[in-house]
Every structure is written in C-alpha cells, then in structure tokens.
Amino acid sequence: MMKNLFYICILSLLFFSSCKSGSSMFSSSKSGSGYKGISRVRTYEFTHPDVPTAFDGFRIAFISDLHYRSLFKEKGLANLVKLLNNQHADALLIGGDLHEGCEYVQPLLSGVKTPMGTYVVLGNNDYEACYDDIVRGLQKYGMHLLEHKVDTLRRDGEEILIAGVRNPFNLKKNGTSPTLGLSPDDFVILLTHTPDYAEDVPITNTDLVLAGHTHGGQVTLFGLYAPIIPSHYGKRFRTGLKYNSHHIPMIITNGIGTSNKNIRLFAPSEVVMIILHQQKD
C-alpha cells in the first residue's frame, strides 16, 4: 500500500512539474560561426502560446558585450556584421556594453539589415563613459534605444513587444520593470544588460528575458567553474538558458568582447539566434 502511494506521489509531482513548464518549450544547438572574432552561433527554438501566428518562425539575433576594442577589434566587428546579415534575422537586439574606452560601433553595426530594425539597451560601461555620444550615435543610425521603454513589432496585423531596461544596476530609479503595465496576453521580450535584474525585481508579464554581462565567466575551468562572475547570484546565471524564481526563462549570452583581461577560456564568444514558434493546441 505504502509503495503504491509512493509511486502515485512521484507521478503527481511529475505531472504538476510538467504542467508548470508546459507553457513554453526550448530546444537549442551550437555551431561554429565560421568568422574570426566570433566563436559560435547558439540557436534557441522557443515555442510559446503567446507567440502570434504572424510571428511563427520569426528570427531574432541577440548580441551583447562587444567591449569594442578589447579582444574584439575592427576585423571582428566587420565579421560580426557579415555573420549577422547571413543569419537573415528579422530583428537585432543588443544587450549593452558596446565599447571599451569610447570606441564606437554604431557606424559599422548600422550595416546589419533586418526588416524590423535594431533595438538596444546599454550596459554599465556605456553609462560610465560617453553616454551622450552613444545615444546620439544610436539615433543617427536609426537604432532604437529602449531606456525603460516598450517598442512594438508589427507583422500582418499582429504584434510582439520588446521592453528594455534602463541602467539595471540602479534599482532605486529603475526598480520598476517596464513590463508591469503590459497585458499578460501579449508576447513580451525583456531586454536587460544583467540577468540579476530579472531576479531582483518583479518582471510580471514577461515571456522571455535576454541578458548578457556575465561573459559566461570569460575565464573558466573547462566551462564548469568560473572564478569571477559579475553577478551576485554566482554561477546561477552564468550562461545559457536559465529561469528566475518565478520560472520565467532567460537566455544569457557569453557576449563577444572581453573586459579587464583580453582573454577567453572555455567561454566562447557567441551570437545568439532565437527562433519563435507558436504553440499549437
């Protein structure tokens, strides 16, 4: 009797666990980029019931932490533009830390052509130096800066929303997520420089978070341990697909450039591709 009850409890736990995560599904793959300066392309197929029919198959390119010119220099930036154009993305999202020493990437990055445009949040480096110049450069080249703003991407009468976080390290000023006023029925992507923001504040109505900042640890022991991770949650949000405490999925990229030391070890630089799919009944 007790044995049967044990199995019933296990099956119940599995069932309810499946129900909890059944609202969205992921699959992922990795491949070499073929371009010097960027090690790989990491692709996520994301299926969610709020993805509108018109956005089934929608391709999002996500990059972060260029830290130009660190280890990532002119040739790498030119290669990045070629790589992104060859991915045929519908929109490009950028997660901040564009420069290392006020070296501007906007002129070359404007060569990335997507039907729905480029959407940007800034990182700690961007707020610490040359902020006004960066903002003017983004405006000049038609890139959409999302400083606690929400932009709408429309296709065939349907839409998805991109929300961006202003300086996520200043929670006194920016500790209210720009997603709070949105509808739970909308498909909402939250773009933030650091993944910690998605744990530190309520991000209600968010379906997917995109973040960078951690560099995947930048220097790791065979990709298993990183002595330095710029997150107060340690290795929890180091890289890849993670979830916050409310089970909202986050894709955290290793980024492209380097900070402090011009070295990467078992934390490959990457471009992330997210392909949206509508969950069928």
Side-chain angles (χ1 to χ4, degrees), residues 73-267:
K73 295 183 169 57
E74 292 92 336
K75 183 63 175 176
L77 182 57
N79 284 340
L80 175 62
V81 171
K82 293 175 185 175
L83 170 58
L84 289 169
N85 281 327
N86 285 338
Q87 289 298 314
H88 303 292
D90 294 296
L92 171 62
L93 274 57
I94 302 177
D97 274 1
L98 301 175
H99 71 88
E100 190 77 22
C102 299
E103 299 281 357
Y104 303 119
V105 298
Q106 297 96 319
L108 263 180
L109 274 184
S110 67
V112 179
K113 305 303 180 185
T114 62
M116 297 283 186
T118 297
Y119 301 84
V120 184
V121 295
L122 301 181
N124 47 293
N125 275 33
D126 307 316
Y127 289 107
E128 289 165 4
C130 311
Y131 171 82
D132 291 337
D133 289 340
I134 292 169
V135 171
R136 280 193 293 269
L138 293 171
Q139 292 171 342
K140 177 180 178 180
Y141 290 100
M143 301 177 187
H144 305 273
L145 178 60
L146 301 180
E147 299 248 69
H148 256 61
K149 293 180 181 178
V150 180
D151 218 323
T152 304
L153 278 58
R154 294 183 175 87
R155 175 187 270 184
D156 297 337
E158 295 182 301
E159 62 187 36
I160 63 173
L161 304 178
I162 311 293
V165 175
R166 180 200 305 115
N167 192 356
F169 303 98
N170 187 344
L171 297 185
K172 185 175 181 180
K173 286 188 176 180
N174 305 318
T176 300
S177 171
T179 65
L180 295 192
L182 304 178
S183 167
D185 296 327
D186 289 325
F187 183 78
V188 178
I189 296 173
L190 180 65
L191 186 60
T192 175
H193 182 60
T194 173
D196 289 6
Y197 189 86
E199 184 68 18
D200 290 340
V201 306
I203 55 168
T204 309
N205 301 319
T206 300
D207 296 300
L208 176 64
V209 178
L210 301 182
H213 186 57
T214 62
H215 296 206
Q218 190 168 307
V219 175
T220 78
L221 182 62
F222 301 107
L224 301 175
Y225 168 74
I228 299 174
I229 301 174
S231 164
H232 53 255
Y233 295 102
K235 65 180 182 179
R236 179 180 173 191
F237 300 135
R238 181 174 70 85
T239 186
L241 175 63
K242 306 295 181 183
Y243 292 84
N244 73 356
S245 294
H246 295 280
H247 207 69
I248 297 172
M250 295 192 280
I251 293 174
I252 304 154
T253 179
N254 287 356
I256 293 174
T258 52
S259 183
N260 296 322
K261 301 293 184 182
N262 285 342
I263 183 174
R264 279 186 175 270
L265 187 64
F266 298 106

Side-chain angles (χ1 to χ4, degrees), residues 59-76:
R59 296 173 62 84
I60 297 169
F62 174 49
I63 59 173
S64 188
D65 298 276
L66 279 69
H67 289 277
Y68 183 75
R69 307 168 181 169
S70 55
L71 188 62
F72 186 66
K73 295 183 169 57
E74 292 92 336
K75 183 63 175 176

